[in-house]
Amino acid sequence: MDKLIINGPNTLSGTVSISSAKNACLPILAATILFPQDITFNKLPNLSDISFFVQILESLGAGTEGDLDKKTIYSARIDKTTADYDLVRKMRASILVLGPLLSRFKEAKVSLPGGCAIGSRPVDIHLSGLEKMGAEITIEKGYVHAKTNGLKGADISLAFPSVGATENLMMAAVWAEGITTLDNAAREPEIVDLANFLIQFGTKVEGAGSKQIKIHGRALKDYKNVESNEYQIIGDRIEAATYVIAGLMTNSDIRVQDFSPQHISAVLDTLTEMGAKLEIDENGVRTLPSGKLKGTNIDTAPFPGFPTDAQAQLMALMGVSECSSKVSEHIFENRFMHVPELVRMGMDIKLDGGSAIISGVDSLECAPVMCTDLRASAALILSGLVAEGETHISRIYHLDRGYEKLFEKFLALGAKIQRVKA
Ligand code: UD1
């Protein structure tokens, strides 16, 4: 198992290019199940979550060719509708195969994802939506088993704008008879990317990015291969937010590019309010040395609110800002696992129910720390960049799930960072 050693404090410089968004790739890979033709992706991020998802598609019978830099999926060959526990347990997002399998094959059996470190993460909203569309769902021996004589378009109002449920229902609706209307749908940029993918492959989708999405179902027998079978996925807004915060925490001049800053406007607005000097254009953000920032209060919320996935990273920045800050987490019940590790590095953070109160400190000390989940790990890297001395960060397999070439990217920005065998 590898670990990272960061020698701080660091000043960064140069440009970092953002990879394709993991959270857009996963639903779009699931959506390839819908369309029985070759589909090619350029630059899928080299992440363990993406490799797992490709393995799930292969286990269903899909053919795949090429490496993640140019990957072709042939889903015409899919002949199984069961996603096994052994693969699903590695990644909760596997539940995203349920909607497309059911839509195309009228049957799907997917191991029920367990909880994960940040919360219990049920799938009731996914399942009740599919039931409204005419699926019969049973839970047997840890598997969700869904069957239908043919899905029908339905009007579905989501109890919460769940990202995964919105994606699953959009995909289920593609071969349903009639129009499916999703109200209180998630509005994240990854939803819009999935809609654009479905549209490229001939589906009529209206309203993605708003609270109401309409998917016009059609008959699978009428499907004709589309000529343009290459799809480019959007840049990863959470990876981008992480590097922007890294630039500010280290008081550095760096450019973070190849993503849409509009996708993180809540983060950029918060940083600006804290006193960050940012130059924002269509394709990226430049951080300018901004000195010590001021504290502020944030509440995580569904898009366009402040993303829960950038909460830990912002908290690391707040930990070395002036005055006090407050972070209230409203999406996941257990998303403060980075707090004890940050405190070990000298931060002053107190938990109060679903909130964390952060009093900025002048400097951080190095300490051995441990990754607990993907974004918590990013907060430790950011803190390691500013702490005095050698910070040893273990269990970095969490980072390999979601940050492509993190070590190489920070090294290229001039960070004193090593990746060693633990
Ligand atoms: C996605 C992202 C994840 C991000 C999250 C919120 C992917 C692969 N992951 O996760 O990085 O943190 O959105 O932006 O895209 N819920 C229910 N019942 C359901 C579904 C969800 O109660 O059926 C709850 C969850 O437990 C959670 C909240 O709704 O508390 C948000 O979950 P959701 O939006 O579904 O997140 P994911 O799609 O799992």
Side-chain angles (χ1 to χ4, degrees):
M1 223 187 285
D2 289 1
K3 71 173 178 180
L4 290 174
I5 302 176
I6 305 180
N7 228 304
N10 286 264
T11 304
L12 308 177
S13 62
T15 298
V16 58
S17 171
I18 293 307
S19 302
S20 303
K22 168 180 85 78
N23 286 353
C25 290
L26 296 172
I28 289 174
L29 283 172
T32 61
I33 293 173
L34 290 165
F35 305 117
Q37 72 159 93
D38 309 354
I39 300 178
T40 299
F41 297 98
N42 291 313
K43 297 203 175 122
L44 288 177
N46 194 350
L47 300 170
S48 52
D49 272 11
I50 302 297
S51 309
F52 285 144
F53 212 95
V54 170
Q55 277 176 36
I56 291 175
L57 295 177
E58 287 170 346
S59 78
L60 296 171
T64 65
E65 199 182 287
D67 56 22
L68 292 176
D69 224 29
K70 193 167 180 90
K71 187 89 176 165
T72 299
I73 317 262
Y74 308 93
S75 91
R77 294 188 194 160
I78 290 182
D79 57 359
K80 293 185 198 71
T81 52
T82 300
D84 277 327
Y85 173 71
D86 278 346
L87 288 171
V88 171
R89 74 185 167 85
K90 293 184 182 164
M91 192 181 41
R92 291 186 41 81
S94 324
I95 193 72
L96 292 172
V97 301
L98 187 64
L101 281 175
L102 187 62
S103 191
R104 180 168 154 203
F105 298 101
K106 302 189 174 154
E107 179 158 18
K109 207 169 155 189
V110 181
S111 175
L112 197 58
C116 74
I118 60 174
S120 58
R121 302 181 82 169
V123 290
D124 53 316
I125 304 171
H126 303 234
L127 302 188
S128 66
L130 292 174
E131 279 175 336
K132 277 214 156 140
M133 296 176 73
E136 250 180 62
I137 295 184
T138 47
I139 309 282
E140 293 162 5
K141 298 183 180 161
Y143 279 80
V144 181
H145 191 179
K147 279 197 279 193
T148 178
N149 292 327
L151 294 176
K152 299 235 175 346
D155 293 342
I156 302 168
S157 180
L158 278 69
F160 181 86
S162 152
V163 175
T166 302
E167 292 164 345
N168 238 334
L169 297 173
M170 286 168 74
M171 294 187 277
V174 168
W175 304 125
E177 191 188 322
I179 297 174
T180 298
T181 305
L182 304 178
D183 276 304
N184 198 26
R187 289 184 278 166
E188 272 68 3
E190 293 77 15
I191 300 286
V192 177
D193 209 21
L194 173 63
N196 288 338
F197 178 82
L198 298 178
I199 291 166
Q200 180 168 325
F201 287 86
T203 317
K204 186 171 174 193
V205 182
E206 296 169 297
S210 78
K211 282 185 179 174
Q212 188 184 73
I213 305 178
K214 274 188 196 296
I215 304 100
H216 296 247
R218 57 201 170 120
L220 178 57
K221 64 179 172 38
D222 296 337
Y223 186 72
K224 291 193 185 63
N225 283 8
V226 299
E227 269 176 36
S228 168
N229 73 337
E230 292 202 10
Y231 193 78
Q232 180 65 52
I233 285 161
I234 55 171
D236 193 316
R237 64 193 170 106
I238 303 300
E239 187 196 14
T242 305
Y243 284 99
V244 169
I245 294 173
L248 294 169
M249 260 180 100
T250 56
N251 204 26
S252 302
D253 181 346
I254 65 167
R255 180 168 163 78
V256 184
Q257 66 182 27
D258 302 327
F259 76 103
S260 170
Q262 276 185 353
H263 293 167
I264 51 165
S265 41
V267 178
L268 299 177
D269 289 350
T270 302
L271 294 171
T272 307
E273 191 188 306
M274 291 173 76
K277 293 182 198 142
L278 302 172
E279 283 179 9
I280 302 170
D281 59 45
E282 266 184 16
N283 188 44
V285 174
R286 178 178 171 198
T287 66
L288 298 170
S290 310
K292 250 192 181 315
L293 302 186
K294 298 188 294 279
T296 190
N297 299 339
I298 59 140
D299 286 80
T300 63
F303 192 84
F306 193 96
T308 174
D309 284 354
Q311 177 258 100
Q313 301 89 312
L314 185 77
M315 197 187 296
L317 172 65
M318 289 167 158
V320 291
S321 298
E322 277 173 352
C323 315
S324 70
S325 300
K326 183 173 172 186
V327 168
S328 301
E329 171 60 48
H330 301 286
I331 308 293
F332 292 109
E333 66 266 28
N334 190 24
R335 211 165 196 185
F336 285 133
M337 279 178 307
H338 42 286
V339 170
E341 300 298 302
L342 295 178
V343 168
R344 296 185 65 244
M345 295 179 76
M347 287 201 191
D348 179 352
I349 307 175
K350 303 218 166 28
L351 288 179
D352 178 13
S355 298
I357 315 294
I358 305 114
S359 305
V361 295
D362 286 337
S363 60
L364 296 182
E365 287 169 5
C366 60
V369 287
M370 207 165 65
C371 299
T372 48
D373 72 63
L374 176 57
R375 308 304 170 184
S377 316
L380 301 183
I381 301 279
L382 299 176
S383 307
L385 290 171
V386 295
E388 296 274 347
E390 262 192 13
T391 299
H392 289 236
I393 304 174
S394 57
R395 299 204 180 168
I396 58 167
Y397 51 83
H398 289 288
L399 287 163
D400 293 336
R401 283 187 39 220
Y403 283 92
E404 187 183 39
K405 297 195 177 121
L406 173 128
F407 163 68
E408 289 83 352
K409 288 185 183 183
F410 272 116
L411 199 63
L413 288 172
K416 289 168 265 169
I417 184 167
Q418 304 167 59
R419 184 169 177 141
V420 298
K421 295 262 170 253

